[in-house]
Amino acid sequence: MKKLFGLILFMGLGVLIILALNNTISFPKFGSVDLSDRVADAYLDNDNVSEVGSANIVTAIVVGYRGFDTLGEVTVLFISALGVAFLFSFKKEKRLDLKFKPNFMLKHGSKLLFGIMLVVSLYIITHGHLTPGGGFPGGAIIASGVLLLYLADDKFRSNIKGFKVLEGVAGSLFVIIGLLGLILATSFLENFIASGTVGQLLSAGIIPIIYVLIGLKVGSEIASVVDNFLTEEESA
Amino acid sequence: MEILDIIVFSLMGLGVLFTAIRLIIGPHFSDRVVALDTFNMIVIGVIVVLASVFKSELYLDIAIVYAILAFLETVVFARYLEGNRK
Amino acid sequence: MKYFTTFVALLLVYLLLAGFTVDEVILGSIVSAILTVLLTKYLNFKIDLKFPLRLLKFILIYIPVFIWKLILANFDVARRVLSPKIPVNPGIVKVKTNLKSDLGKLTLANSITLTPGTLSIDVLDEYIYVHTIDVKGSDGLEKEKNISGPFEKILEGVFE
Amino acid sequence: MTIAGYVFMIIGGLFFLLGGLGVLRMPDTFNRIQAGTKATTLGAFSVLIGVGLVNFEWSWIAKIIIIIVFIVISNPIGSSTIAKATYYSKYKPDNLVQDDLEKRGDE
């Protein structure tokens, strides 16, 4: 039954792809695309740096112009975390037994390093509009800190409920800020705060706020994936 | 100063080459982990010197993040190796 | 007091990364305050009034010795790498340490790894298990002098 | 200042080269760990100080301090983790003349 269902899904997807590629109306003909007529030029235009207010052009595109896409990306990550949680069980009570004790230096040194890692990750998240980096790498570093503690301490169990609450709150706030843009300005996720001087910490309007939320959401999602992999059900 | 940059880069590049050879031929998994650890440290050096060549301190952020991830990588591989017990 | 030192350490790291401006100090204080509440239960440093003196000892006595030993270690490595004919008889020896605090043991083990010819593998109870390239000296005391001698006394002054 | 910085950087590069050579030429895993860790720690130290001297500004030096502290703490920890893993794995080198850890038994 499962295999049949999978086959139907697979074939349906194939049909959809063929239909989409066969569509001659919405796709320009091969070789006839006018590359000078793309939005990329407008994004990279120097005037737009002052329009968005972000010193980092990648951040300006990812959050400023393509905020809606980013919301989708974060949702993809959320769904994959949910998939991992489904694949394993929900009733996680016991820490997975790693059989081998971590050595002393790793166990005690990782606590020192964890502090540095968290500060670095928060620095990267909050400076996403000024330096390379931003929400996604910062969130990944938070999660790697959690992974380090899991590997370094065989008794450690992170507060996974806190992570879930954090993830939910961050996701909801992202959407709420988008809706505020719809109300206060004209469209979803539009910037409604003055963008300030380029290069200052408090600049670029809603970009830093959204990037902080993305960072917290990504970090807590990946941390919950790590937790799911390293815990198991209480064997009855 | 360009010639000095080239000297530094070539020294580090030779180091990277040697560790890469060990990474490929290393008879055991543990040798590969050691080679990878050394490799990552040299790459941190390369990033820092690149930051100096490009005169941009933003590259140092990348070096910090790389150092963090390199350490984590070493720990993860080492813990995996422990599972391969005799 | 415990909260305060954690807070100061985190804020220092943040400000070193971000630079000293008014905005950064405010943001860094918020970030460090949140992290302090989350992290204090994992970090347990014993901090008392002698702390500045200890820090001074650490910087002025420990670090120069450490760097000197590190340079010696590298010349040792260079000698071994460039002439692999030097006979090696490696072994794992245990070294007793008198340090009680975890941080002290950690620093001692890390220092041993970075000194000539030794590599600390694990710390169990009050023994540090060290891999040495060349097992010297048959009785225990002599070995300990060779391996952990220079650091043990300094770190006792710092951490105990 | 620039000259001194470049001297440090070249010394650091030499130590990195030495680390790579050590990892390649040493006979067994523990010796490779030793050579790799020591040489790369001092090499990174030296290169970072050199870059700090070439670009003698506060924003550079602050970040360099963070990297040095992180490397000095993390590098020995990482190598001792590999060493312990190697010791208990099936690839343990068999040329040890003395082995105190074995007397202690498993874990």
Side-chain angles (χ1 to χ4, degrees):
Chain A
M1 188 63 211
K2 229 193 237 169
K3 277 184 184 166
L4 188 69
F5 186 63
L7 187 69
I8 292 170
L9 266 184
F10 188 68
M11 287 181 55
L13 192 65
V15 170
L16 278 180
I17 289 173
I18 289 169
L19 282 181
L21 290 180
N22 224 5
N23 184 354
T24 46
I25 304 163
S26 63
F27 275 99
K29 213 180 163 200
F30 183 76
S32 66
V33 182
D34 186 11
L35 285 175
S36 64
D37 193 26
R38 290 295 174 99
V39 284
D41 279 343
Y43 290 167
L44 292 174
D45 197 3
N46 270 331
D47 297 341
N48 285 323
V49 174
S50 52
E51 180 192 69
V52 182
S54 161
N56 181 353
I57 197 75
V58 178
T59 305
I61 292 171
V62 167
V63 182
Y65 294 113
R66 297 290 181 117
F68 194 65
D69 277 6
T70 308
L71 184 59
E73 276 165 35
V74 177
T75 314
V76 168
L77 207 59
F78 170 69
I79 288 171
S80 58
L82 204 65
V84 172
F86 266 117
L87 191 61
F88 299 93
S89 164
F90 275 111
K91 278 162 105 186
K92 303 285 194 160
E93 264 122 36
K94 203 166 124 258
R95 183 62 218 284
L96 190 68
D97 197 8
L98 284 178
K99 282 195 268 185
F100 319 110
K101 280 183 193 150
N103 74 351
F104 176 89
M105 277 158 273
L106 182 61
K107 193 170 176 180
H108 294 274
S110 64
K111 288 171 187 166
L112 286 176
L113 295 174
F114 184 60
I116 299 180
M117 282 164 86
L118 274 192
V119 176
V120 170
S121 69
L122 285 173
Y123 160 76
I124 285 172
I125 288 174
T126 51
H127 290 245
H129 55 299
L130 302 177
T131 60
F136 289 98
I141 294 174
I142 294 182
S144 35
V146 174
L147 175 61
L148 175 65
L149 279 192
Y150 265 102
L151 289 175
D153 194 344
D154 49 354
K155 298 281 189 302
F156 176 78
R157 179 82 208 273
S158 67
N159 184 1
I160 208 65
K161 252 184 199 152
F163 275 128
K164 278 182 181 142
V165 171
L166 184 66
E167 194 252 308
V169 168
S172 322
L173 279 177
F174 193 166
V175 177
I176 286 172
I177 286 176
L179 289 176
L180 276 180
L182 191 59
I183 296 164
L184 297 176
T186 50
S187 63
F188 189 68
L189 275 173
E190 188 168 336
N191 188 7
F192 55 87
I193 306 174
S195 49
T197 326
V198 178
Q200 297 273 311
L201 180 63
L202 293 174
S203 69
I206 60 170
I207 288 177
I209 303 171
I210 287 180
Y211 238 9
V212 168
L213 294 177
I214 291 174
L216 294 178
K217 194 167 157 62
V218 169
S220 43
E221 272 160 2
I222 305 180
S224 68
V225 170
V226 168
D227 179 82
N228 268 316
F229 274 115
L230 285 168
T231 49
E232 61 187 358
E233 272 178 278
E234 194 82 66
S235 52
Chain B
M1 288 300 128
E2 266 181 15
I3 183 75
L4 290 174
D5 284 332
I6 291 169
I7 292 172
V8 174
F9 276 125
S10 48
L11 287 174
M12 288 192 285
L14 276 178
V16 167
L17 182 69
F18 290 145
T19 48
I21 293 172
R22 176 54 72 193
L23 187 65
I24 294 163
I25 65 170
H28 305 311
F29 185 73
S30 54
D31 296 320
R32 296 204 167 99
V33 180
V34 176
L36 202 59
D37 188 28
T38 313
F39 186 92
N40 283 329
M41 292 314 283
I42 301 178
V43 171
I44 292 168
V46 172
I47 294 173
V48 172
V49 179
L50 273 181
S52 174
V53 170
F54 292 138
K55 298 280 169 219
S56 166
E57 85 236 30
L58 294 178
Y59 287 83
L60 293 179
D61 288 0
I62 301 169
I64 296 172
V65 174
Y66 195 90
I68 290 173
L69 293 181
F71 171 63
L72 192 80
E73 183 187 308
T74 307
V75 170
V76 169
F77 276 129
R79 295 290 282 160
Y80 167 72
L81 177 62
E82 270 182 349
N84 213 343
R85 210 161 212 187
K86 63 181 163 187
Chain C
M1 193 65 198
K2 210 166 82 176
Y3 286 91
F4 181 71
T5 42
T6 315
F7 176 77
V8 170
L10 292 174
L11 183 62
L12 187 69
V13 174
Y14 185 90
L15 290 181
L16 282 176
L17 280 169
F20 294 90
T21 56
V22 179
D23 295 347
E24 300 285 4
V25 171
I26 295 168
L27 185 64
S29 314
I30 297 168
V31 165
S32 317
I34 295 169
L35 288 184
T36 308
V37 175
L38 292 175
L39 286 181
T40 309
K41 65 176 171 179
Y42 298 120
L43 308 163
N44 45 349
F45 303 121
K46 264 189 249 160
I47 304 292
D48 51 17
L49 289 177
K50 278 198 269 175
F51 180 71
L53 184 69
R54 288 173 174 192
L55 192 67
L56 210 64
K57 264 187 189 169
F58 186 79
I59 291 172
L60 288 184
I61 303 175
Y62 170 74
I63 288 180
V65 174
F66 171 75
I67 290 174
W68 173 240
K69 282 281 170 186
L70 185 57
I71 292 168
L72 281 186
N74 275 281
F75 283 114
D76 186 62
V77 167
R79 201 165 52 89
R80 281 176 203 285
V81 167
L82 297 178
S83 60
K85 291 274 167 60
I86 296 175
V88 288
N89 44 344
I92 295 174
V93 295
K94 61 178 180 182
V95 178
K96 194 170 183 299
T97 172
N98 295 320
L99 296 172
K100 295 286 184 299
S101 68
D102 288 339
L103 198 61
K105 282 185 200 167
L106 174 70
T107 316
L108 182 61
N110 272 4
S111 315
I112 285 174
T113 299
L114 294 175
T115 47
T118 51
L119 166 73
S120 48
I121 294 180
D122 203 351
V123 181
L124 296 167
D125 304 330
E126 53 187 2
Y127 292 105
I128 301 179
Y129 290 84
V130 178
H131 172 266
T132 60
I133 288 182
D134 207 354
V135 185
K136 274 184 231 151
S138 49
D139 87 316
L141 270 177
E142 203 177 325
K143 259 183 276 175
E144 278 166 33
K145 243 180 218 163
N146 278 333
I147 292 170
S148 73
F151 292 114
E152 178 99 34
K153 277 213 182 96
I154 299 168
L155 289 175
E156 247 171 47
V158 176
F159 287 106
E160 297 297 316
Chain D
M1 208 62 120
T2 315
I3 302 295
Y6 273 104
V7 168
F8 269 104
M9 271 154 74
I10 288 173
I11 292 173
L14 278 174
F15 280 120
F16 275 138
L17 175 62
L18 182 69
L21 207 58
V23 168
L24 187 61
R25 282 186 69 170
M26 284 299 201
D28 66 63
T29 310
F30 284 144
N31 283 333
R32 279 174 205 145
I33 297 173
Q34 287 209 17
T37 310
K38 282 162 198 160
T40 52
T41 307
L42 190 60
F45 228 84
S46 191
V47 165
L48 284 162
I49 290 173
V51 171
L53 287 176
V54 171
N55 307 280
F56 202 72
E57 289 159 40
W58 175 241
S59 57
W60 284 74
I61 292 168
K63 278 176 188 172
I64 281 171
I65 290 171
I66 297 275
I67 303 177
I68 286 181
V69 167
F70 191 87
I71 284 177
V72 168
I73 298 175
S74 76
N75 210 1
I77 293 175
S79 58
S80 71
T81 311
I82 306 173
K84 196 198 169 200
T86 309
Y87 183 85
Y88 284 115
S89 76
K90 59 187 171 193
Y91 309 128
K92 176 184 162 189
D94 48 2
N95 57 354
L96 302 174
V97 294
Q98 184 183 356
D99 192 351
D100 285 352
L101 199 51
E102 199 171 34
K103 289 172 201 152
R104 214 196 134 91
D106 237 18
E107 301 283 270

